[in-house]
Amino acid sequence: LGAKAAATPAELAAKCDVIITMLPNSPHVESVVCGPNGILEGVRPGSIYIDMSSISPVVSKKLCEIVAKKGVEMLDAPVSGGEPKAIDGTMSIMVGGKEEVFESVKDVLKAITRIGYDAGKFKATDEAYEKLPDCCRYREIEGVETGDHHGEHHGVHHQQM
């Protein structure tokens, strides 16, 4: 495939049009992208950065903003399926970002797995954060109602709780 080793993420980024990371957690990704000798130090405008790590959506959005300042497009593309699916090439990729960027690297993603899904411009992240406060309020109301019910069942009026 023509892959060549690089001593640092910065060196790699300077030589590549498409850069992919798949790391254990948010601090690892932030370090590889923003740290000393990180991707940001070598990346060229017009490059595409794809993060395939399962990290915090907040960190993904922050990294998207950071790389955009360097003229770099980013796709948030976490994978699902674990090692067995990675080995047999059937893991799922849930891609968030600009559709035209996704289309431009679709063949790269297909080389990794036969399954791809375009979730839209960080759509999953945005929707999750829009719905989260409603879910928290619902759980809070449900907890109060359950407490009232059990309290009254045991002879304690809800105004006493």
Side-chain angles (χ1 to χ4, degrees):
L1 296 174
K4 295 179 181 169
T8 67
E11 181 185 332
L12 173 98
K15 296 177 181 178
C16 297
D17 296 324
V18 178
I19 302 114
I20 299 174
T21 55
M22 188 183 300
L23 298 163
N25 57 42
S26 298
H28 290 112
V29 176
E30 288 178 302
S31 176
V32 167
V33 174
C34 303
N37 294 308
I39 290 169
L40 283 179
E41 289 186 14
V43 72
R44 295 169 293 150
S47 298
I48 298 171
Y49 169 56
I50 305 171
D51 180 47
M52 301 184 81
S53 313
S54 295
I55 63 170
S56 162
V58 173
V59 172
S60 290
K61 287 188 87 163
K62 180 176 89 173
L63 290 173
C64 182
E65 293 167 4
I66 290 169
V67 300
K69 291 176 184 172
K70 290 276 201 170
V72 175
E73 296 287 350
M74 179 179 168
L75 294 176
D76 178 29
V79 296
S80 177
E83 186 177 355
K85 296 291 184 183
I87 291 169
D88 70 14
T90 61
M91 64 185 170
S92 296
I93 303 174
M94 295 140 293
V95 183
K98 294 178 184 172
E99 186 174 351
E100 62 272 14
V101 177
F102 171 69
E103 289 297 327
S104 74
V105 296
K106 204 178 223 180
D107 289 339
V108 173
L109 297 175
K110 283 182 180 178
I112 297 168
T113 185
R114 60 180 177 217
I115 302 168
Y117 176 71
D118 178 11
K121 187 178 181 203
F122 290 88
K123 182 179 175 186
T125 301
D126 292 341
E127 288 179 2
Y129 279 100
E130 286 174 14
K131 303 289 184 211
L132 188 58
D134 293 334
C135 292
C136 291
R137 279 192 290 277
Y138 173 76
R139 295 300 293 177
E140 185 177 315
I141 291 166
E142 182 181 37
V144 169
E145 288 178 354
T146 301
D148 280 351
H149 172 76
H150 287 294
E152 287 184 11
H153 181 73
H154 293 286
V156 179
H157 191 272
H158 74 275
Q159 290 178 338
Q160 293 174 307
M161 287 192 267

